[in-house]
Structure formats: structure tokens, C-alpha cells
Amino acid sequence: VKTMCLILLFFCAAFCSATHDAAADGFYIINLSEHDQALFSGIRNTFYRIALLVGQGLLLFLVFSIVKHWNISSQWSILFAISGGLLAVLAFHHFLALPRSGTDFPQEKSVKNSNSMVLTFFESFRAFFRKKHVVPALLFLLFYRFAEAQLGKITNLFMLAKHEEGGLALTAAQYGMIYGTIGMLALLAGGILIMEVTFNHT
């Protein structure tokens, strides 16, 4: 039961993350000019990479390398508690700091409005799947980074597997530092290098 509840919780988190991207794009379009949209989109992507560095690298390394000296066995619980606390603080800050557009105002709650919102929500899905060439587009989105996604999962297993199984036998702290921090910095450096080479040859 606990495993199923945890899987459901992660599913809800993934769904919220995906819908947040769509909402953020809409927020940018409504409130920002085309120039500012490009500017803040770059800033958002930069902070997304920073969040990966903190979550997959720095935070994981700190929790599993420092907390273990306190004889605390629930490192994962502490890691998720810290992550959840950071998200709650950021959500509260965004609630207060983000600007609101002229069309963003609370509406009166009623059964009719609730039904209309539900119908609009599902109608957006229906409208999407009625688009021309939607099946090839979905297949492209699914398989474009399919090999990279598979490699990422196998890499994790290889780094954490024992020596007798052919792995590197890294601890969680070592994995966080090597893969989550050094690896992410190398990825950022490679992306910047590719951009420089591309712009210099165009």
C-alpha cells in the first residue's frame, strides 16, 4: 500500500510539473513582450539547470555525506523533506512576488463554473488530438530522446552496482557529486561550446 501511494504521489508530482510548463508559457505570452519572453525563457532554463545541480548533486551529496555522521538512517526522508521545504518556500515567494495580468482575477465559484472548467480542460485534450499529423508528432516526441533516456537509467545502475556485478560501486554521496554535479557542469559546458561553434560558423 505504501509503495502504491508513493507511486501515485510521484505521478501527481510529474503531472503538476508538466502542467506547470504549459502554465508558465502562457504566463510569459500574456505578460511579456517577445524580447522579454526570449530573455526570461533563457533565465528560466538556466535556473532549471541550477535546480538539477542542487537536487541531483549538491543536496544529495550533502545529505548522504554529512547526515550519516549523525547516525541517522533516514537520509532519504531528510532529503525529500528538505526538497519539499525548499519548494514550499519558493512557491510562497512566487505567490507574493509574481505580477498578475489584467485578465488574472478570481471568479465566483459555482457548480456551473466548475463544470465549465472541467469541460474546457478535457476539450483542450480533444482539440490537441484532432490536429493534423498529431500521431507522427507524438511519435517524434516519444523517440527523439528515447535512446538518451534509456542510457541515463542504465548509467545510474552501472554507477551504483557492486564491483562483482561489473559496476562502480559508488555511494549515494559519490554518485550525487560525480553524476549530479560534475556531469551536469560538463553538460552545460558542452552546450555552451556547441552554441559558440554554431554561431561562429553561421
Side-chain angles (χ1 to χ4, degrees):
V1 177
K2 291 183 179 179
T3 302
M4 293 301 299
C5 291
L6 187 61
I7 293 174
L8 180 61
L9 181 62
F10 282 137
F11 174 82
C12 293
F15 183 81
C16 291
S17 175
T19 52
H20 172 268
D21 287 342
D25 291 339
F27 180 79
Y28 281 14
I29 293 173
I30 292 175
N31 290 279
L32 301 176
S33 63
E34 291 187 2
H35 175 270
D36 290 339
Q37 288 176 26
L39 173 64
F40 284 100
S41 179
I43 294 175
R44 185 179 65 167
N45 289 330
T46 300
F47 276 91
Y48 170 75
R49 298 298 180 184
I50 294 174
L52 290 179
L53 282 173
V54 174
Q56 295 184 0
L58 181 62
L59 189 57
L60 188 66
F61 172 77
L62 290 177
V63 170
F64 279 85
S65 61
I66 296 177
V67 175
K68 69 178 182 180
H69 297 296
W70 300 341
N71 295 322
I72 299 177
S73 59
S74 56
Q75 288 99 334
W76 281 111
S77 298
I78 296 175
L79 178 66
F80 280 114
I82 294 175
S83 301
L86 288 174
L87 288 176
V89 170
L90 290 173
F92 181 72
H93 170 264
H94 291 161
F95 179 77
L96 297 177
L98 287 178
R100 299 179 183 274
S101 66
T103 59
D104 184 12
F105 56 89
Q107 298 181 354
E108 295 183 2
K109 294 183 178 180
S110 66
V111 176
K112 183 178 180 180
N113 288 338
S114 300
N115 293 336
S116 178
M117 290 176 60
V118 172
L119 292 175
T120 302
F121 178 78
F122 286 104
E123 180 59 29
S124 63
F125 281 93
R126 293 179 55 189
F128 175 79
F129 285 102
R130 285 199 298 263
K131 289 181 178 291
K132 188 178 181 180
H133 305 306
V134 64
V135 174
L138 290 176
L139 291 175
F140 174 78
L141 293 174
L142 177 63
F143 291 107
Y144 177 67
R145 301 184 66 180
F146 185 77
E148 180 185 351
Q150 298 300 308
L151 178 62
K153 297 304 179 183
I154 296 299
T155 302
N156 301 343
L157 298 176
F158 169 70
M159 289 185 172
L160 298 174
K162 299 179 180 179
H163 288 301
E164 46 272 23
E165 298 174 352
L168 297 180
L170 298 180
T171 64
Q174 293 171 334
Y175 169 82
M177 178 56 65
I178 294 174
Y179 187 74
T181 301
I182 299 176
M184 189 59 62
L185 289 174
L187 178 64
L188 290 173
I192 294 173
L193 179 61
I194 291 175
M195 290 178 60
E196 289 292 333
V197 172
T198 302
F199 283 121
N200 288 334
H201 286 80
T202 55

